[in-house]
Amino acid sequence: MQANIVTLPGDYIGPEIIAEAVKVLARVAEKYGHTFTFDERKLGGASIDAYGVPLTEETLAACNAADAVLMGSVGGPKWDKVPADKRPEKGLLALRKGMQVYANLRPCTIHPQLAGACPLRPDIISTPIDIMILRELTGDIYFGKRTRSEDRSAATDEMAYSVPEVERLARIGFEMAKKRRGKLCSVDKANVLECSRLWRETVQRLSEEYPEVEVSYMYVDNAAMQLILRPSQFDVMITGNLFGDILSDESAAIAGSLGMMPSASLGDGSKGLYEPIHGSAPDIAGKDIANPLGTILSGALLLRHSLGLETEAKAIEDAVAKVLDEGYRTPDIYSDGCTKVGCIKMGDLVAERV
Ligand code: NAD
């Protein structure tokens, strides 16, 4: 197959981790007879330095024309003083909005080799944990109207959702649950918030179309608690932007290392934006010690969800598991008895094992 992939390395460790993910994807293309072209563009601080804005129209157009987009991370102290509307993170929000990717997939699994990095008790994680958190990405309180009183002593943020916004997200969740273990948990705060009541009613109505999926409803405060008390009960979780932001970071903490976690943001159709969940890690940039595995695993999600290449996606995930089995670790996941390697070497090891 032929595919055009736009890469957005971004800032600080971004270029280092993207280089390793591209190396692994190029190896997949070579082994399975595909042609992937990589079109590198600037985003965030790198784009501010080059063009004065965090995302140019040309870059957004290239992303929309591509089969998929692979991103590193943006932001950092160099651009802390630029005006709020031109911050690197604004480029990322504009990219998500511009690509109309409204569903953020955050898988949470614990690699058995890294179980020691999980902060939960061994008996809690003795049952396998394999959760897919699906967070709505372009609505909710993050995009609602904001006000601040003239004397600056009071403020409001509007939470808003519409039925179509909930429905399109929930549909992806139901479809995903069908292909996984057939369970879907919808998280809201329907005992208090009108938006949540609309959310729950919409999911309830949609559930009639998916009799094979077992649906449960949970208030967000209970969900936050259940994630640490009994995480293995969850299969697919769907939730709004605000609750999803918090719960998906909680799930990342459960998995043990920020550097290991991939994510995908999807819209209608197969196009998607893929990125590790961590930031640009300015404190370790340029030292060849960043963990590229979250970005490499985001590459696997890209193959699966945008290009429909399940075997190839699995080949990357298996190669990562093999490298961990063999005891190779970047410093962030290192423990006694393992072999410490840098970012470039880690990329080489995964590529060799694909
Ligand atoms: P961070 O995720 O960049 O770093 C937090 C800690 O985790 C740091 O100690 C860092 O060294 C470590 N870390 C992160 N990724 C790692 C990796 N791959 N390997 C090894 N260690 C890793 O969060 P932060 O320090 O709060 O943010 C730094 C910058 O990144 C900020 O400007 C922030 O706005 C931005 N940010 C961007 C994104 C994104 O691009 N999607 C996400 C979060 C934060």
Side-chain angles (χ1 to χ4, degrees):
M1 110 174 296
Q2 296 216 344
N4 177 22
I5 300 169
V6 166
T7 62
L8 302 167
D11 308 318
Y12 290 98
I13 65 165
E16 301 173 44
I17 54 179
I18 283 289
E20 300 318 306
V22 166
K23 186 187 284 174
V24 172
L25 287 170
R27 171 72 192 122
V28 167
E30 181 190 33
K31 176 162 178 194
Y32 292 89
H34 303 303
T35 307
F36 297 159
T37 36
F38 298 98
D39 175 10
E40 187 179 307
R41 305 272 172 157
K42 293 186 193 302
L43 178 74
S47 178
I48 294 173
D49 288 351
Y51 314 115
V53 288
L55 172 69
T56 64
E57 279 176 23
E58 289 76 17
T59 298
L60 178 58
C63 291
N64 276 324
D67 294 299
V69 179
L70 184 65
M71 197 197 108
S73 48
V74 296
K78 187 175 174 203
W79 302 280
D80 274 352
K81 294 211 166 64
V82 302
D85 62 327
K86 291 226 173 65
R87 296 279 303 241
E89 294 79 5
K90 279 276 174 196
L92 179 53
L93 288 182
L95 179 67
R96 288 172 178 161
K97 198 90 183 166
M99 286 184 69
Q100 297 183 338
V101 284
Y102 54 80
N104 184 221
L105 272 65
R106 294 267 295 250
C108 169
T109 46
I110 298 182
H111 293 268
Q113 306 89 337
L114 301 180
C118 172
L120 301 182
R121 278 198 327 259
D123 61 300
I124 294 176
I125 57 167
S126 61
T127 318
I129 292 163
D130 179 7
I131 310 170
M132 180 64 82
I133 298 188
L134 202 52
R135 164 190 170 194
E136 201 288 327
L137 206 56
T138 55
D140 207 346
I141 198 162
Y142 292 177
F143 291 89
K145 207 171 103 199
R146 300 177 210 301
T147 67
R148 186 75 173 258
S149 64
E150 246 167 51
D151 67 359
R152 308 202 59 76
S153 66
T156 66
D157 293 275
E158 183 183 71
M159 177 181 269
Y161 264 123
S162 67
V163 168
E165 282 176 312
V166 180
E167 211 172 273
R168 64 185 187 177
L169 188 275
R171 215 170 264 292
I172 297 183
F174 279 109
E175 290 296 334
M176 221 159 246
K178 260 170 49 178
K179 293 193 199 120
R180 292 169 48 100
R181 301 194 302 283
K183 283 171 63 178
L184 180 133
C185 177
S186 178
V187 177
D188 60 39
K189 189 74 184 167
N191 50 343
V192 180
L193 300 172
E194 198 54 36
C195 273
S196 282
R197 284 193 272 273
L198 175 119
W199 181 284
R200 191 177 284 215
E201 285 160 22
T202 307
V203 176
Q204 275 167 339
R205 194 168 27 77
L206 210 61
S207 69
E208 289 164 18
E209 291 179 36
Y210 297 92
E212 65 276 57
V213 176
E214 183 194 324
V215 189
S216 61
Y217 301 89
M218 209 177 260
Y219 296 139
V220 63
D221 41 349
N222 186 26
M225 200 165 69
Q226 292 298 329
L227 262 178
I228 48 171
L229 290 178
R230 209 162 57 82
S232 60
Q233 70 184 286
F234 296 110
D235 178 10
V236 176
M237 293 176 98
I238 57 169
T239 189
N241 205 346
L242 171 65
F243 301 152
D245 191 1
I246 299 164
L247 292 180
S248 59
D249 268 20
E250 184 185 354
S251 75
I254 290 170
S257 168
L258 219 51
M260 294 295 304
M261 305 286 287
S263 83
S265 302
L266 307 176
D268 293 332
S270 62
K271 239 165 240 171
L273 170 65
Y274 301 84
E275 54 178 309
I277 67 154
H278 58 74
S280 61
D283 52 333
I284 59 165
K287 298 182 181 157
D288 187 31
I289 54 172
N291 184 346
L293 294 178
T295 319
I296 290 172
L297 291 168
S298 299
L301 295 182
L302 182 157
L303 296 179
R304 174 172 296 127
H305 295 290
S306 282
L307 306 187
L309 299 175
E310 176 59 34
T311 306
E312 289 83 341
K314 191 78 181 26
I316 293 183
E317 288 162 354
D318 289 348
V320 168
K322 190 148 198 293
V323 167
L324 294 174
D325 275 340
E326 291 168 14
Y328 295 106
R329 303 281 190 272
T330 43
D332 58 312
I333 50 172
Y334 177 80
S335 55
D336 284 349
C338 295
T339 309
K340 204 180 274 185
V341 295
C343 180
I344 297 171
K345 178 73 180 167
M346 187 54 109
D348 288 341
L349 289 165
V350 177
E352 281 162 18
R353 281 152 188 75
V354 160

